[in-house]
């Protein structure tokens, strides 16, 4: 089971390393269908990406701090129990 | 108190994957399709969350079976927390799907077999929590809810994955509709979609682990009070 998890993680990392640089590879573009192309060429979509990332970072920092608080409590309770 | 990398690397991996999903998900070139337009990017969020829900429910099922085999209360706690997180994802999936439907299918809720069937599946799972809350004795609660969890999972699979495919559904891959893979000849979407599933699953498991730890502490406190 552990081996499977490691293999999976390795796969994910390789996946990221190999494919991310090519993600922008262009496909045949059908200009008749309305897409937010101008939004990207204006560069404004990056603003949205940034905003989402900041919001997500904030949430994750909060989650990590909750995680650490729990660890502290666990230690306290365990020491109480062993007394 | 340190946040040791050794035990927590998978949480970091989950965060990194979601970073990647947000960046790549917004910026990659997606297939140009009418009606869908840019909303095809919802695949990385809406659909990925459904897949993550399914993974969490499978884990819940496994621990329910483990509980029935061993009668260890810990397995019951793990099973119930995975089911809870799975249903949280399910509710997120149905809410995000409703928004997506409004702008592509034209209404917040369409009478689509897949929508109605998943709603039934979610309701079946909600009854799992009602059942758990109504039993005092923890071993009795564990046994009855484990059996019910197996039933709920067995009902959810055909409701979500099989029955909608047998009738007409607006969802891709259902009722003769092609799946997304048929549109996406470059497999560009997959490069974000698969990491998205893993990322959302890991974040979900993280929250599950927090809640399991709270419950375990509750038990320890009860033990201390008993002594």
């Amino acid at each position: 089971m552990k081996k499977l998890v490691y293999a999976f993680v390795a796969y994910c990392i390789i996946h990221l390393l190999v494919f991310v640089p090519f993600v922008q590879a262009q496909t045949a573009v059908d200009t008749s269908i309305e897409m937010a192309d101008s939004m990207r060429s204006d560069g404004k979509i990056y603003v949205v990406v940034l905003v989402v990332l900041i919001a997500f970072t904030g949430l994750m920092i909060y989650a990590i701090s909750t995680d650490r608080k729990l660890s502290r409590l666990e230690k306290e309770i365990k020491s109480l129990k062993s007394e | 108190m340190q946040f040791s990398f050794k035990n927590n690397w998978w949480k970091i991996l989950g965060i990194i994957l979601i970073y990647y999903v947000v960046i790549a998900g917004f910026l990659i070139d997606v297939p140009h399709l009418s009606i869908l337009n840019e909303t095809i990017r919802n695949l990385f969020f809406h659909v990925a969350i459904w897949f993550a829900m399914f993974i969490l429910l499978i884990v819940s099922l496994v621990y329910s079976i483990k509980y029935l085999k061993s009668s260890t209360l810990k397995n019951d706690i793990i099973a119930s927390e995975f089911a809870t997180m799975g249903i949280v994802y399910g509710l997120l999936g149905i809410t995000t799907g409703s928004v997506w439907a409004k702008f592509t299918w034209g209404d917040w809720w369409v009478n689509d077999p897949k929508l109605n069937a998943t709603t039934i599946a979610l309701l079946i799972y909600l009854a799992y929590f009602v059942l758990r809350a109504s039993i005092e004795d923890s071993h009795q609660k564990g046994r009855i809810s484990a059996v019910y969890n197996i039933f709920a999972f067995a009902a959810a699979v055909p409701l979500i994955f099989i029955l909608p495919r047998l009738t007409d559904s607006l969802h891709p891959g259902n009722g003769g509709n092609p799946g997304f893979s048929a549109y996406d000849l470059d497999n560009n979407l997959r490069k974000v979609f698969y990491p998205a599933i893993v990322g959302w699953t890991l974040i979900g498991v993280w929250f599950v682990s927090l809640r399991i730890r709270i419950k375990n502490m509750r038990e320890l406190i009860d033990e201390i009070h008993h002594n």
Side-chain angles (χ1 to χ4, degrees):
Chain A
M1 187 63 201
K2 217 168 186 182
K3 261 187 189 163
L4 205 77
V5 172
Y6 283 135
F8 190 64
V9 170
Y11 165 78
C12 290
I13 291 168
I14 291 166
H15 200 98
L16 291 178
L17 290 178
V18 175
F19 289 121
V20 172
F22 301 109
V23 155
Q24 290 284 14
Q26 297 292 306
T27 45
V29 174
D30 180 357
T31 47
S32 64
I33 291 166
E34 199 177 328
M35 300 295 267
D37 289 329
S38 66
M39 200 177 178
R40 252 184 302 288
S41 63
D42 289 340
K44 297 239 170 71
I45 191 77
Y46 298 106
V47 181
V48 182
V49 174
L50 197 63
V51 167
V52 174
L53 287 183
I54 290 170
F56 181 69
T57 307
L59 282 176
M60 287 303 110
I61 289 171
Y62 193 54
I64 289 173
S65 95
T66 308
D67 196 310
R68 290 170 67 178
K69 274 188 183 148
L70 264 182
S71 305
R72 218 170 298 149
L73 257 182
E74 274 168 348
K75 255 198 175 163
E76 242 175 77
I77 289 176
K78 268 181 193 141
S79 67
L80 260 181
K81 213 194 161 205
S82 58
E83 263 167 29
Chain B
M1 184 66 55
Q2 73 287 6
F3 188 74
S4 76
F5 187 74
K6 203 181 151 218
N7 298 322
N8 297 306
W9 59 269
W10 56 276
K11 300 168 187 169
I12 307 292
L13 178 71
I15 294 175
I16 291 171
L17 283 173
I18 297 301
Y19 272 129
Y20 164 69
V21 167
V22 170
I23 296 169
F26 276 105
L27 299 179
I28 59 161
D29 219 49
V30 292
H32 289 217
L33 303 170
S34 53
I35 302 172
L36 272 178
N37 305 80
E38 294 282 358
T39 68
I40 196 170
R41 293 175 199 278
N42 280 348
L43 179 75
F44 313 132
F45 304 98
H46 165 77
V47 186
I49 280 179
W50 278 115
F51 276 60
M53 171 201 83
F54 195 62
I55 293 170
L56 295 177
L57 292 182
I58 290 174
V59 177
S60 172
L61 173 78
V62 169
Y63 276 95
S64 275
I65 294 170
K66 269 189 168 177
Y67 174 79
L68 287 178
K69 275 174 141 177
S70 66
S71 292
T72 323
L73 274 181
K74 264 195 178 138
N75 288 337
D76 179 53
I77 291 173
I78 295 172
S80 77
E81 287 305 336
F82 268 100
T84 312
M85 196 64 208
I87 296 316
V88 168
Y89 270 8
L91 293 174
L92 286 177
I94 222 158
T95 319
T96 53
S98 177
V99 175
W100 198 1
K102 173 70 188 163
F103 293 98
T104 49
W105 298 338
D107 212 340
W108 296 106
W109 193 267
V110 292
N111 243 334
D112 186 79
K114 191 133 178 160
L115 270 66
N116 292 335
T118 40
T119 310
I120 295 168
L122 285 180
L123 288 174
I124 290 175
Y125 267 100
L126 285 181
Y128 170 75
F129 304 114
V130 176
L131 186 69
R132 286 188 68 82
S134 64
I135 304 171
E136 279 277 337
D137 180 70
S138 46
H139 275 286
Q140 196 172 21
K141 176 197 282 194
R143 221 171 329 114
I144 294 174
S145 64
V147 172
Y148 185 83
N149 193 19
I150 295 169
F151 160 76
F153 187 85
V157 171
L159 277 171
I160 298 175
F161 294 101
I162 301 171
L163 292 179
R165 277 165 211 269
L166 298 178
T167 58
D168 265 329
S169 170
L170 291 164
H171 275 85
N174 290 265
N177 283 339
F180 268 110
S181 55
Y183 295 127
D184 186 34
L185 300 172
D186 300 310
N187 282 330
N188 235 359
L189 296 176
R190 279 167 217 252
K191 290 169 200 161
V192 183
F193 180 51
Y194 294 151
I197 297 171
V198 179
W200 291 119
T201 307
L202 287 176
I203 300 284
V205 174
W206 184 6
F207 282 97
V208 169
S209 78
L210 292 178
R211 306 221 358 161
I212 291 172
R213 282 161 67 190
I214 292 175
K215 281 211 172 162
N216 287 341
M217 275 192 274
R218 182 79 250 161
E219 300 249 305
L220 276 177
I221 290 172
D222 286 347
E223 270 177 47
I224 291 168
H225 280 308
H226 270 291
N227 294 335

